[in-house]
Amino acid sequence: MSDADHLNELLGLPAVDFQSGAEGGPRPAADAAAWRVSVDAYEDEQTWEEEFTAFLDEVDPAGVRALIIGQWGESYEETSSYPIGLVIAAADRLTSLEAVFVGDLVQEEAEISWIQQSDVTALLTAFPGLVELGVRGGSDLVFPATKHERLKSLTIEAGGLPAEVVRGVLDSELPALEHLDLWLGVSAYGGDANVSDLAPLLSGTRFPALRHLGLRNSEVQNEIAAAIASAPVVARLTTLDLSCGVLGDEGAAALLEGQPLTHLGALDLHHHFLTEAMERRVVEALEPHGVRVDVSERCEPWGDRGAAGRYVTVSE
């Protein structure tokens, strides 16, 4: 299952599809859009390399601040090292680049598990000015521990995020990181990280600037909620996102019985398996303190399997 949508913005800039040789009106200024470069694997005659070359020729690369790498061909056969390598080769022309998203594909183009990623930290090495990096797809994803002084936002969307990737992220030195969003996924699609892998993050010893934490889309969402209940990192967060997973009453109860969450600006639990009574309990405990609580999208387990029938938002 995959219901991730095309990005409509990056770095606060509206996403605009680049089309080489396009007619019908002027394009936005290079620095006024998040430019999505993609090709249709079945309909377009041009390769992604040819489309990207046209992009560099037709849009002032020195002004480009945000780049979205969309479909680069048959993505389940060609890894993202192909488009990433081309972007890195143009680093001396993309001198204002601040944000990159790799793999902006939707279900009609490829299931999220089909998106073949690669070592995305190569972008961080090539672009020391990046402040935002996003990735969709966990297959073949590599994220060795890295150091980057300016990165403020890191998002990895996956139907299954390998524990090795999680450990690489959490072993990285990212002193400016304010926003971390990890879609952990399910074991059937490679999501083998557990709560113990999150220990460096939950201890509060990593990422001193962190203010938003998303640990979501997980089949161990209740265990994560229980760990969050006593995690030192929570005290300095302004927003916490535990949405899109299999959270039930047991996990929500652990959150409410743990450390205070009343300092948060927002708590996102949407797509959950809470009872109506627990929904009310969460809202009544936090909203009077000014916390925006999202308990929308109550789900029912598949069949008559009870907790075993719970499901995450994005897996296949």
Side-chain angles (χ1 to χ4, degrees):
M1 180 189 340
S2 172
D3 68 352
D5 297 320
H6 274 309
L7 266 66
N8 53 34
E9 68 171 26
L10 184 66
L11 200 69
L13 300 171
V16 172
D17 290 299
F18 171 79
Q19 293 182 320
S20 56
E23 299 179 358
R27 291 190 175 104
D31 62 355
W35 295 97
R36 179 165 36 237
V37 180
S38 62
V39 294
D40 189 302
Y42 304 103
E43 296 185 7
D44 288 348
E45 294 182 1
Q46 289 211 114
T47 65
W48 198 90
E49 180 176 5
E50 291 169 333
E51 190 73 357
F52 184 62
T53 298
F55 170 72
L56 295 175
D57 289 341
E58 297 178 31
V59 176
D60 177 17
V64 173
R65 298 177 58 211
L67 177 65
I68 301 170
I69 298 175
Q71 189 171 21
W72 54 83
E74 295 186 2
S75 56
Y76 49 87
E77 294 183 355
E78 184 101 56
T79 75
S80 65
S81 63
Y82 164 50
I84 286 174
L86 294 169
V87 172
I88 290 173
D92 61 339
R93 301 177 68 186
L94 295 165
T95 52
S96 299
L97 195 63
E98 297 178 72
V100 180
F101 189 96
V102 185
D104 184 29
L105 283 74
V106 295
Q107 189 173 30
E108 291 75 17
E109 297 167 316
E111 299 284 359
I112 198 168
S113 63
W114 297 356
I115 303 172
Q116 303 299 305
Q117 286 291 349
S118 60
D119 184 351
V120 295
T121 64
L123 288 163
L124 296 176
T125 302
F127 295 96
L130 278 191
V131 296
E132 188 169 340
L133 176 63
V135 181
R136 180 172 295 163
S139 297
D140 289 336
L141 180 62
V142 178
F143 201 107
T146 190
K147 183 176 181 179
H148 196 278
E149 296 293 334
R150 293 197 59 193
L151 192 70
K152 293 183 178 182
S153 176
L154 175 62
T155 297
I156 304 179
E157 305 174 356
L161 194 58
E164 185 176 1
V165 171
V166 173
R167 289 192 290 266
V169 170
L170 301 189
D171 285 342
S172 295
E173 294 184 41
L174 305 172
L177 193 70
E178 300 174 357
H179 180 113
L180 178 62
D181 194 0
L182 301 177
W183 296 20
L184 298 171
V186 300
S187 57
Y189 287 96
D192 57 352
N194 55 42
V195 173
S196 64
D197 295 310
L198 301 172
L201 172 64
L202 300 181
S203 71
T205 60
R206 309 300 298 158
F207 314 139
L210 194 67
R211 296 296 178 266
H212 168 91
L213 176 59
L215 296 172
R216 46 196 302 234
N217 194 54
S218 176
E219 63 183 354
V220 294
Q221 205 74 63
N222 288 301
E223 292 88 338
I224 291 172
I228 285 285
S230 60
V233 70
V234 174
R236 52 189 172 86
L237 298 179
T238 57
T239 55
L240 176 62
D241 188 345
L242 303 178
S243 67
C244 298
V246 302
L247 187 72
D249 281 9
E250 57 272 41
L255 282 176
L256 294 180
E257 293 162 7
Q259 62 186 307
L261 300 175
T262 52
H263 67 289
L264 293 174
L267 174 65
D268 191 345
L269 304 179
H270 84 271
H271 178 99
H272 61 80
F273 294 83
L274 308 185
T275 60
E276 288 187 51
M278 182 56 76
E279 280 186 7
R280 288 194 300 271
R281 183 178 165 192
V282 173
V283 170
E284 291 171 0
L286 297 176
E287 285 199 342
H289 297 276
V291 183
R292 300 186 307 278
V293 180
D294 187 347
V295 286
S296 61
E297 296 183 39
R298 183 190 311 122
C299 304
E300 295 294 334
W302 282 326
D304 57 358
R305 300 170 59 197
R310 297 175 183 174
Y311 49 89
V312 302
T313 299
V314 177
S315 53
E316 182 184 358

